[in-house]
Structures are given as structure tokens and as C-alpha cells.
Amino acid sequence: MTTHMTLPLQEESISTTDTIDLAVREVRPVAEDCIVMVLETADGAELPEWSPGAHIDLILGDDLVRQYSLCGDPADRSRWRIGILREPESRGGSEFLHDSVRAGATLTARGPRNHFPLQPSDHYLFVAGGIGITPILTMIHAAERQGASWRLLYGGRRRASMAFLDELDGFGDKIQVCPQDECGLLDLTSYLSTAPAGTAVYCCGPEPLIAATEEICATKALPLHVERFAPKQDADVGANEEFEVVCAESDITVTVPADSTILAEVRKVGIEVLSSCSEGTCGTCEADVLEGEPDHRDSVLTPQERASNESMMICVSRCVGKRLVLDL
């Protein structure tokens, strides 16, 4: 099964819907086409608390919002650290951050939020591919502090493209680094076959890696927790149909045509909803479901969360039937 289970979180000092002005204190390369950026509040105030697996939104323009996993020390409230890969087919975010942002610049952020929290466990197996190391990096530090047993399997195209290898080097044989040009594809079957009962598996990286890990963990009944950077392709998605959404808090009802989304239609009538990726991967637009059955099409909620129908991502998900009542 694939699950997300939440650690008890402390209260954050500000709402995750608020924006924060951040000063860029450091920008440096950590691998080919990958930089680390250290951010502090512009006024020197403490940053909101966060836990391993959390990410922030960087608001780079009116229609340019990107999510980056925090990969620093959660106990250090003075700064946040993020890793940024230059995407080969950048839609503008990573290219801008790589080419135009230097130490001394100011950025606007929102968050943090966490849809990939670290569940307490005595045993962990971590799997990271490429820039998927960023949330995993903080998790292995947390597991080490907890005294849990853990190992990491980390893959990438080649060693020079794999970030944070110097930081990982201190963990010795707990880390298995496997560049594809040296080792081929990750041997997930052998790696996961050694897991003792109750081991929690955490995976982040490209979709083929996540899909392969999901398949193996399903056969071995290992609890798996994943975070995706791109939407999961759902073969069960049917044709779009028109439906009605009652926005309970606003006392407004909208019709969602087959060629539109809940997010687009509620915004047309003046209901402001935070969103970011618009493809069901970041969790920003999550809305509580009061009545009706959602047609879940996101890549965030677990099967258990989907089955509960307590919330939905309104940028991509739709309705099973003709009517939903949402807490909007």
C-alpha cells in the first residue's frame, strides 16, 4: 500500500497561505545543473516551523509558482535551504532561478506545507532518484537522530549530476550511490527484499522509479510513501462530464463544464483559492468535501485518503455524479 502518515507538527508561526519575503543569502552549485539556495527572512525574523518532507512555493511571477522541497535543518529557524535542478524543458521557473537569482536578491515564498511527512518507524528504506534526493536528505538526518535503522539507495544519470554526495559521504555504508552510467538501473528488487517487517519505504524521483517501487512494495506488502514531481498517469480516468459544485461557505453554486475545472469556475465567480501547479501534484488547492463523491485525479492523496473522500484537489479532480458540496 502507498500511504502518507503525519507526524505531530508544532504550530507554525504564520499561516501556510501567507507569503513571506525572503532574502537569498547563498547560491552555489552542488552538481551539474543543480544549485543550492539558502533563504532567510528579509527582516531577520524566525521562519515558520517545518518537518521532513515539507516544501515551499516560490512565487516568481503572477503565473509562475514553483514548489521546492526543504532540505536543510528543521531545527534551524533562521534559514531555509532548497535544491533546484535546471529542468531540460523548463517552463520558466528553474531557468529563472539558475540564470537570474544571485545572493542578495529577494524572493517571495508561501508555505511550508507537507504532503510527504516522515512516519515514526524503527526501520526505513529510502529510495531517491535525481533531484528526488532533496526531501529524502532531511529524512535520513531525522532517522539518524531518532536512532532508527535506515539505508538509502540513490540513483542518477551519472555521479557528477547527483547532488549532495559530499554530505551523504559521512554516512558510510548506509548509503548506496548508483549512477546509471556505472551501475545501470537501480536494483530495487534486491534492495527492497531485505526489508524487515514493518519497514517504512520512502521514495521520491522520476515517475518510472516511483512506479517500479510501488509495484515491488505492493507485492511485498511494504508500506510505501512517495512524492511525485509530475502527475501520475491514471488509466482509469473516464471522459469529462459537466457537474455542479455548491460552494457552501460562499453560498454560490457553479457549473463545471466538461472542458473546465472546479478551480477555474470558482475563480470566475470571485472565490479566491490558492493554487500552484494546476496539475494535481503540489496539494495547494486542496478543498474539503462536504457532500458528494469526488473523481480523484491528483497525484497527492493516498488510496486511503481518496477512499475517505474528505478532501480533493480542485485543479484536476472532478465529480462522480452530478453534484459536489465543497467548503469554499
Side-chain angles (χ1 to χ4, degrees), residues 13 20-25 38-50 70 72-81:
S13 57
I20 316 167
D21 289 330
L22 297 173
V24 179
R25 296 305 184 202
V38 176
L39 308 168
E40 301 175 355
T41 56
D43 60 3
E46 283 192 331
L47 288 159
E49 294 179 326
W50 60 282
L70 293 169
D73 180 1
D76 185 354
R77 299 284 299 281
S78 68
R79 59 184 56 200
W80 283 340
R81 185 176 72 160

Side-chain angles (χ1 to χ4, degrees), residues 83-265:
I84 304 163
L85 174 69
R86 183 193 289 274
E87 298 288 351
E89 299 178 4
S90 173
R91 295 176 295 163
S94 68
E95 185 177 76
F96 170 76
L97 291 167
H98 271 255
D99 294 341
S100 303
V101 178
R102 299 291 180 266
T106 300
L107 296 173
T108 300
R110 185 172 56 221
R113 62 175 54 83
N114 197 342
H115 290 280
F116 189 42
L118 184 66
Q119 175 191 359
S121 178
D122 292 330
H123 307 283
Y124 295 101
L125 287 179
F126 298 105
V127 180
I131 197 61
I133 190 62
T134 50
I136 299 296
L137 184 62
T138 305
M139 291 182 177
I140 65 174
H141 282 285
E144 186 75 4
R145 287 193 299 270
Q146 293 169 15
S149 70
W150 64 270
R151 289 188 293 134
L152 166 65
L153 180 63
Y154 178 22
R157 298 186 307 278
R158 55 190 178 277
R159 194 173 295 270
S161 71
M162 299 172 69
F164 303 110
L165 289 182
D166 55 343
E167 189 169 327
L168 294 168
D169 190 52
F171 290 111
D173 60 5
K174 291 183 178 181
I175 307 290
Q176 187 177 350
V177 176
C178 298
Q180 188 171 347
D181 64 346
E182 298 176 21
C183 311
L185 296 177
L186 295 179
D187 187 354
L188 294 169
T189 301
S190 295
Y191 177 68
L192 295 170
S193 67
T194 62
T199 297
V201 181
Y202 282 79
C203 178
C204 185
E207 181 57 31
L209 174 66
I210 292 177
T213 305
E214 285 179 326
E215 183 177 351
I216 295 169
C217 285
T219 63
K220 297 182 178 298
L222 290 172
L224 172 64
H225 312 253
V226 304
E227 182 169 63
R228 286 179 160 87
F229 295 136
K232 181 179 182 180
Q233 299 304 309
D234 194 339
D236 296 330
V237 171
N240 289 355
E241 302 288 345
E242 181 178 289
F243 60 96
E244 181 180 86
V245 172
V246 179
C247 304
E249 185 177 343
S250 305
D251 195 23
I252 296 174
T253 299
V254 299
T255 298
V256 181
D259 61 353
S260 187
T261 65
I262 300 173
L263 178 64
E265 296 307 312

Side-chain angles (χ1 to χ4, degrees), residues 256-294:
V256 181
D259 61 353
S260 187
T261 65
I262 300 173
L263 178 64
E265 296 307 312
V266 298
R267 282 182 165 174
K268 286 179 183 178
V269 297
I271 299 174
E272 285 302 317
V273 179
L274 290 177
S275 71
S276 181
C277 70
S278 296
E279 57 185 16
T281 58
C282 72
T284 307
C285 68
E286 186 171 11
D288 290 337
V289 179
L290 303 181
E291 293 180 31
E293 182 180 351

